[in-house]
Amino acid sequence: MINVERVGEHEFVATNDRGASVRIGRKGQEGSFSPVELLVAAAAGCALVTSETLVLRRTGGGELSAVADAVQSESGNEVISIPVTLSYDLSAVDDPEALETVVRRAVEQFCTVTRTLKQSATAPLQLPTPLQTAVDPL
């Protein structure tokens, strides 16, 4: 479970039960990620986590990174695509196409974030209910 609490004006901190935290704020706010940036980071991070073992085993180690960005609708109120580009050194790879096939298949089958985005997961919003006021009978 993720807990998000307000820590200041337009400033929030998300924490998990393992003690990790990330600052969330409005787009452009110093020292924080916007909610859309977190979504983009989740897609890129999931692709990296999913492909890490496959890539490092076949490339002999080295650098592994990803770049991603949100492509938003004309209104800017929804993300329509999150292209993710993985980067790693292919100089020690005998068959780059085979590695590409394996990495693409692994991400498509096992990356929870990108699989969820493809399925258009719902995000039901629950709001607090007003307290019932006791009516004093006369």
Side-chain angles (χ1 to χ4, degrees):
M1 181 179 330
I2 303 297
N3 185 45
V4 181
E5 292 186 13
R6 183 175 186 262
V7 295
E9 184 176 0
H10 310 305
E11 295 180 81
F12 307 87
V13 173
T15 56
N16 65 19
D17 55 0
R18 294 179 313 280
S21 64
V22 64
R23 295 187 72 78
I24 303 171
R26 291 185 174 187
K27 183 179 178 180
Q29 187 170 2
E30 286 295 316
S32 65
F33 283 90
S34 74
V36 171
E37 289 170 331
L38 287 173
L39 180 64
V40 171
C46 189
L48 281 175
V49 168
T50 302
S51 64
E52 177 184 33
T53 300
L54 294 169
V55 170
L56 296 181
R57 185 181 308 139
R58 288 171 175 84
T59 63
E63 299 292 317
L64 174 60
S65 63
V67 174
D69 198 8
V71 177
Q72 294 186 285
S73 64
E74 287 185 26
S75 68
N77 290 329
E78 59 188 15
V79 174
I80 56 175
S81 179
I82 302 174
V84 175
T85 303
L86 296 180
S87 297
Y88 44 86
D89 184 7
L90 292 172
S91 62
V93 177
D94 293 334
D95 189 352
E97 283 114 20
L99 178 56
E100 177 184 340
T101 299
V102 171
V103 168
R104 189 174 303 281
R105 186 180 309 134
V107 171
E108 288 173 355
Q109 290 180 353
F110 302 112
C111 177
T112 304
V113 175
T114 56
R115 288 177 57 85
T116 302
L117 290 169
K118 284 180 185 177
Q119 305 251 341
S120 298
T122 61
L125 179 63
Q126 296 179 13
L127 301 174
T129 55
L131 294 176
Q132 298 293 328
T133 55
V135 177
D136 206 11
L138 296 174

